[in-house]
Amino acid sequence: AKAASYAFLAGQHAAKQYSNQDAITFFTQAMELTPIDEQEKRYEILLAREAVYEVSALDRVKQQEDLTQLANIAVQLDALSKQASVGLRQAQLFIRTGKYDEAIAVTKRVVEQGELLGDELLVVEAHSEWGYAARTKGEYDVAKKHLEYSVQRLRELGNLQKLGYALNNLGILHSDMGKLEAEKLALEESLTIAEEINDVRLKSRLLNNLSIHFNLKGEYLLSQTYLKNGLQLYQEIGDSLGQGIAYVNMGLDAYQIGDYQTAYTYLTDSATIFRQVNDPDGENLAFFFLALVAEKRSEYRQSVKTLVEEGVKTARASRLIQDESERLGTLGLIFQQEKVYEKAHALF
């Protein structure tokens, strides 16, 4: 028992230092040393290990396995609060991996569970995730309702950390809706909160999202500054997905100022990371921007085509029909650049 406790404490210490792989190793040791019938302790260890997977995006498959184990333990313990908490984490992973309908279905259930428990904070968090998932589906009115409700209630509850994340989500929605000033206000308020409570993860996201704001306004050099600062924080906390997002945005900025070589480097790096962390949406975006680079610099065209073709095979093997379709469309753009119009037309 002592050995399991020491391993767990070592994992917690490593996680606080963002030594993510070490944290996972220690938490795994703690699991191996904890008897199967000590469900409460195993739940606590799994919860901590899943949180490291969420921050680092090191292995989404293993993260899902942890969530499945957590859900099973919560049912065995007949603990509705644990079931709801795990459900919220499951919704977040669904969002990360592009399963937005599944995320919305889970958040609806978590709202109902939170209301039964009288846990208003859990309900509000679920509304925030529901709104974020609706935004990704283009359901802006639905997203606005849930996100504005979340921000309002979190202000009233005085929970700064959750408010910071909800404001970030609301800012992204404003950006999608073309409301750039409203976006900037929401993101800057969230950044102030992140700095006040020293939430490095939130701050890294906000620097990235503010960079997108300045990119949309054509201020590419300022955008690059925010991105590089955000990338440094993503690297500090070992957030692989965040690094992929930063690289794809840095590639877009470089493309827009005509630095195609730098754009190519950043975008290929981002595509590699997105594949490693199982983010098909991010990979699709990187492929599309790489096709734009190939249009400007023909010497990159063959390597970009090879990357996208590999992506098509991966999507097909994984039965990701929508992702395969998007990648085939990108491949069509490249064939169009090569003036192979018959192949291009067949792929569009």
Side-chain angles (χ1 to χ4, degrees), residues 199-210:
D199 189 324
V200 179
R201 189 182 184 205
L202 177 58
K203 184 176 178 180
S204 63
R205 290 186 184 183
L206 287 160
L207 290 172
N208 180 77
N209 292 333
L210 280 164

Side-chain angles (χ1 to χ4, degrees), residues 86-96 102-103 106-107 129:
V86 173
L88 189 61
R89 289 180 178 228
Q90 180 66 76
Q92 291 166 344
L93 180 57
F94 280 146
I95 289 170
R96 306 285 179 270
E102 291 91 333
V106 173
T107 54
E129 297 298 337

Side-chain angles (χ1 to χ4, degrees), residues 101-118:
D101 289 329
E102 291 91 333
I104 289 171
V106 173
T107 54
K108 286 180 180 178
R109 187 174 71 242
V110 173
V111 167
E112 293 170 359
Q113 291 170 328
E115 288 172 346
L116 283 172
L117 291 163

Side-chain angles (χ1 to χ4, degrees), residues 36 51 108 151 161 317 342:
I36 195 73
K108 286 180 180 178
V151 167
Q161 185 185 46
E342 188 174 339

Side-chain angles (χ1 to χ4, degrees), residues 58-193:
L58 285 171
D59 194 324
R60 294 302 194 195
V61 174
K62 288 183 179 178
Q63 183 181 357
Q64 181 57 65
E65 290 172 358
D66 279 0
L67 284 167
T68 300
Q69 288 191 69
L70 283 164
N72 290 337
I73 292 173
V75 170
Q76 290 167 22
L77 294 173
D78 194 25
L80 185 60
S81 62
K82 285 183 169 60
Q83 292 172 38
S85 295
V86 173
L88 189 61
R89 289 180 178 228
Q90 180 66 76
Q92 291 166 344
L93 180 57
F94 280 146
I95 289 170
R96 306 285 179 270
T97 53
K99 299 177 180 178
Y100 306 120
D101 289 329
E102 291 91 333
I104 289 171
V106 173
T107 54
K108 286 180 180 178
R109 187 174 71 242
V110 173
V111 167
E112 293 170 359
Q113 291 170 328
E115 288 172 346
L116 283 172
L117 291 163
D119 187 338
E120 187 169 9
L121 183 57
L122 181 67
V123 171
V124 172
E125 282 189 85
H127 276 290
S128 184
E129 297 298 337
W130 187 343
Y132 191 87
R135 179 198 69 81
T136 58
K137 287 168 57 65
E139 298 173 358
Y140 295 149
D141 288 341
V142 174
K144 186 171 182 286
K145 179 182 75 172
H146 290 289
L147 290 172
E148 287 184 343
Y149 169 78
S150 299
V151 167
Q152 178 188 336
R153 290 300 297 130
L154 287 166
R155 285 193 200 282
E156 293 166 357
L157 292 169
N159 190 310
L160 282 181
Q161 185 185 46
K162 303 299 183 187
L163 175 59
Y165 281 92
L167 281 165
N168 176 58
N169 291 346
L170 183 60
I172 296 170
L173 174 65
H174 285 317
S175 176
D176 287 351
M177 297 175 71
K179 299 178 179 179
L180 296 188
E181 288 311 308
E183 173 209 17
K184 187 167 181 282
L185 286 173
L187 295 180
E188 287 181 338
E189 182 182 356
S190 184
L191 181 59
T192 299
I193 291 171

